[in-house]
Amino acid sequence: MGPLRDIFIEDIRPMTILIGESGSGKSLLMKTLILFRYIYKMLNIRWYLKNSNVNKSRFKLTIGNLLSPELKHYFKDNKQLEVEYTVEINGNKHSVTYRNGTINRSATDKAIPNEDLIFLKECWISEMRNIIPDWDSFTHNIKKRNLNYYFQETLNDFLDASDKLKNIPLNYLGLSLDIEKKGEHKKYFIKPFDDSYPPIEWKYASSGIQTSSSIPTIVDYFANSFSFKEAIGRSIISYLYETDTLRLYKPELEPMDMKKMVHIHIEEPELNLYPTAQCRLMDSITKEAFMSVAEDRELRLIIATHSPYIINYLNVLINRKGRNKARIDKANLAVYRIYDGMLQNLIATDEEGLIFVDTQDLTEQMEDIMTEYEYLTNHK
């Protein structure tokens, strides 16, 4: 599919990082992943209804209706493409498989028992997020505009987050994003922690502030403020009323008792940020997603980046100690480099058995620059 030739990830960890050159297929891989995660979400809802005696379902798993305009380009007439997404839970495997231009029905028709059901929310944070501060109006009618598909998803989640949140600490910059609401209208201000200068409107802030601040806002929202009760009501309860099937509904499992998980897919968190700020941003989102998350949910992150600073900083996050410091368990981290259409696993083990992220290949460009510099200075 495009630059991707043969990709296999045995275990997508709670924090999975992809790095590679521009055009290597990082975003394409993530967009394919979020598509199949969404299909799996629909599969869970369908089987929840079936397990509750509601056999008629409107959740049709037809690939053509679910493809974004970009993915249509890659999926159309591509008979060589095969995709399989499998979830293993309680020792059972449940799959969504795409072959020969269609979703394999034998896989999706396999029952998912109540104890394996998960209520999922898929989130995409686009590299186009810098557009948000300059948008004409921050009202919900923006959601109806015909925008780039992935930016629209980002914008929708940001608007929902800004409905719930008033103040978002941007610790990695020593600032906060403050939201003032008057009816349906909102104003956004950047305020320094030390009050060294007056608050300024978000749209007048630096490019790094504009581009990065929506990331902790959306992560904070899904970690603590996103209402699964409302989401379940929209996707399950309202369906029962709309289809007049409430009389058939005999659940053995209450919807809110399902396991709840949010997958957040982030494109290029480093955009317009100085290297030290990139690392501190990783601190912020790691802490929010894995250390400050509400007890009723689990967050998982997958990040596509060009930044060797972020990849190197992961070694700090997996070795850091201290109760209140951002850190992540080694077992919860996976790091891959996309190269020549395939994946290289960057998690390695040294002679003493210590697990680390091997960043040697990511320093090749710096070494090449120094080699050329030394050659030029020695041959004047």
Side-chain angles (χ1 to χ4, degrees):
M1 180 167 58
L4 302 177
R5 293 195 297 118
D6 187 10
I7 301 291
F8 175 70
I9 303 178
E10 184 175 4
D11 184 9
I12 303 175
R13 302 294 174 89
M15 180 185 279
T16 297
I17 313 289
L18 305 172
I19 189 167
E21 296 182 7
S22 298
S24 61
K26 300 181 300 299
S27 291
L28 182 57
L29 176 56
M30 285 209 307
K31 287 169 181 175
T32 305
L33 176 61
I34 195 173
L35 167 65
F36 279 78
R37 283 176 158 174
Y38 179 80
I39 294 172
Y40 187 71
K41 169 185 176 176
M42 293 295 100
L43 196 59
N44 273 262
I45 294 174
R46 189 175 80 176
W47 279 105
Y48 174 80
L49 292 169
K50 284 180 175 290
N51 296 346
S52 301
N53 198 46
V54 182
N55 291 314
K56 183 181 178 182
S57 172
R58 69 176 176 180
F59 299 107
K60 305 298 182 183
L61 302 179
T62 303
I63 193 75
N65 297 332
L66 300 173
L67 294 172
S68 67
E70 179 181 349
L71 288 185
K72 284 181 181 178
H73 169 77
Y74 290 103
F75 276 72
K76 185 179 179 182
D77 299 326
N78 186 355
K79 299 299 182 181
Q80 303 299 315
L81 178 60
E82 294 186 3
V83 183
E84 181 172 332
Y85 178 71
T86 299
V87 174
E88 183 173 350
I89 184 168
N90 298 322
N92 301 317
K93 291 185 177 181
H94 309 286
S95 297
V96 178
T97 304
Y98 176 85
R99 288 190 183 93
N100 299 317
T102 187
I103 295 174
N104 187 325
R105 298 299 176 189
S106 63
T108 56
D109 286 346
K110 179 185 175 183
I112 303 178
N114 284 333
E115 59 268 23
D116 291 358
L117 290 172
I118 309 174
F119 192 88
L120 297 158
K121 170 62 183 175
E122 306 305 321
C123 167
W124 185 273
I125 302 182
S126 168
E127 88 283 2
M128 294 175 62
R129 57 189 176 272
N130 63 303
I131 300 173
I132 297 175
D134 267 331
W135 208 252
D136 292 335
S137 169
F138 289 91
T139 57
H140 285 286
N141 63 356
I142 305 179
K143 294 186 178 184
K144 299 178 182 178
R145 298 187 182 183
N146 186 21
L147 306 171
N148 171 277
Y149 177 84
Y150 296 98
F151 171 68
Q152 183 73 69
E153 291 297 303
T154 304
L155 178 60
N156 290 351
D157 286 335
F158 177 82
L159 291 172
D160 289 340
S162 63
D163 283 342
K164 298 280 187 178
L165 305 175
K166 294 181 179 179
N167 173 277
I168 300 92
L170 309 177
N171 297 317
Y172 59 100
L173 296 172
L175 306 168
S176 65
L177 175 63
D178 293 359
I179 303 169
E180 294 183 1
K181 305 170 188 175
K182 292 183 179 179
E184 291 188 356
H185 297 281
K186 303 172 191 171
K187 281 193 173 182
Y188 299 80
F189 295 93
I190 296 295
K191 181 179 179 182
F193 287 163
D194 61 4
D195 294 322
S196 56
Y197 56 85
I200 60 173
E201 283 195 57
W202 190 25
K203 62 184 178 180
Y204 300 129
S206 73
S207 59
I209 295 171
Q210 291 186 19
T211 305
S212 65
S213 48
S214 56
I215 298 176
T217 302
I218 292 173
V219 173
D220 185 336
Y221 169 63
F222 282 114
N224 295 288
S225 303
F226 174 73
S227 173
F228 276 97
K229 184 176 181 179
E230 292 177 7
I232 289 171
R234 289 191 299 268
S235 58
I236 296 178
I237 306 303
S238 62
Y239 165 75
L240 296 172
Y241 281 101
E242 291 169 8
T243 57
D244 195 27
T245 52
L246 186 60
R247 55 189 173 76
L248 303 173
Y249 180 57
K250 297 177 181 177
E252 297 177 358
L253 174 72
E254 289 300 318
M256 284 298 292
D257 290 337
M258 280 191 283
K259 184 178 180 179
K260 304 168 191 68
M261 184 180 292
V262 183
H263 293 130
I264 302 179
H265 309 72
I266 306 174
E267 287 189 295
E268 302 179 38
E270 72 275 9
L271 287 176
N272 301 322
L273 287 179
Y274 195 70
T276 52
Q278 295 177 29
C279 297
R280 291 195 296 262
L281 175 60
M282 290 300 296
D283 276 347
S284 293
I285 61 178
T286 299
K287 204 167 187 178
E288 201 66 57
F290 303 112
M291 301 172 67
S292 304
V293 62
E295 292 182 357
D296 70 336
R297 67 200 62 190
E298 180 180 343
L299 263 65
R300 294 192 167 211
L301 303 177
I302 182 163
I303 297 171
T305 181
H306 295 111
S307 173
Y309 300 104
I310 286 179
I311 302 300
N312 277 280
Y313 193 67
L314 295 171
N315 283 311
V316 174
L317 292 176
I318 62 177
N319 285 286
R320 184 180 273 157
K321 308 294 182 183
R323 186 174 182 180
N324 294 318
K325 293 184 177 181
R327 63 189 186 282
I328 187 164
D329 192 289
K330 297 177 180 69
N332 290 332
L333 177 68
V335 187
Y336 298 100
R337 180 189 183 196
I338 300 183
Y339 181 77
D340 194 23
M342 302 178 73
L343 289 183
Q344 297 175 343
N345 188 350
L346 298 187
I347 299 293
T349 306
D350 66 13
E351 294 177 354
E352 298 179 356
L354 180 68
I355 293 173
F356 68 103
V357 182
D358 185 354
T359 61
Q360 183 174 353
D361 287 348
L362 305 181
T363 62
E364 290 176 352
Q365 186 61 48
M366 289 299 297
E367 292 173 358
D368 290 345
I369 292 171
M370 288 305 300
T371 299
E372 184 174 0
Y373 168 75
E374 290 173 359
Y375 175 83
L376 292 171
T377 55
N378 291 330
H379 294 79
K380 287 186 177 180

